[in-house]
Every structure is written in C-alpha cells, then in structure tokens.
Amino acid sequence: MKKNIPIEEILVVVIEQNDSWLLHRRPDAGLLASMWEFPNVEGKGEEGRRKLQDVLADVGCRIDFEDTPQGTLRHVFSHKIWHMTVLKGHLVSGNLNTKEEWQWLPKDRYTEIPWAGPHGKITAWQ
C-alpha cells in the first residue's frame, strides 16, 4: 500500500549584499538540525512573501522581492516533499540583529558550511 506523503510549499529568498548571502541556521534539533539555509517559510505567493518579510523584519531587515522566481526545486524526504519556489530579494534597509542563527556569509566561503538539503543546490543558480 502506497503512503500518502504530504507536500509542503516552501518560499525561499536569496538576498545578496557585498558578495555575501543572508543565511539562517536551523534549530539544533529536528529536520536538518543545525544546517544553514536561505531564508524561507512555508507558503507561496503573496502570503509567503508577507511571511518572509515578517521573518526578516524580526531580525532587523526590510526587503523587496524581484517579481520573477529564479526557479523551483522539489526535495523528497522520507516523510514529506518540499516544493520550493526561489525568489531573489534585495535589502532595502536595516542591519542584521546580532542573532547568532542569522549571518552574512561571503559567497566564496559557501563550501565551508553544512547546507540544509536542497539549499546547497540553490547556490549553483547564483
């Protein structure tokens, strides 16, 4: 009997400034624990964009999105599937709060960190 695997819509934003990417480290426990990822939320369309803006506002950043997605990615786990839409974002104002789980990573150092699942694949698009 085939199991019904839930599909989650994930909206990802790639924000670049001074040859660095804004990244988030996942929690120490759970799925992809302690790995790094581009900012993302569960959601899509305008709802997802609003959620992403809220998450980034919480760490002191205001962004604008480019209209056209960079692409989509499907990542299959044993218990769920992520359908990811990747947008490009631009920092409009703000400075990153000093929260340790949020960092600017120089793009030329991307091989030095553990990437969360498909997020490492997104670096190839940049």
Side-chain angles (χ1 to χ4, degrees), residues 42-56:
E42 190 171 345
K44 61 182 182 178
E46 283 307 309
E47 174 201 4
R49 288 174 189 235
R50 278 192 299 278
K51 283 182 175 180
L52 268 171
Q53 285 176 324
D54 289 347
V55 166
L56 291 163

Side-chain angles (χ1 to χ4, degrees), residues 22 37 47 51 74 99 112 116 123-124:
L22 180 60
E37 63 189 0
E47 174 201 4
K51 283 182 175 180
R74 179 182 156 105
K99 294 184 180 187
E112 298 174 20
T123 63

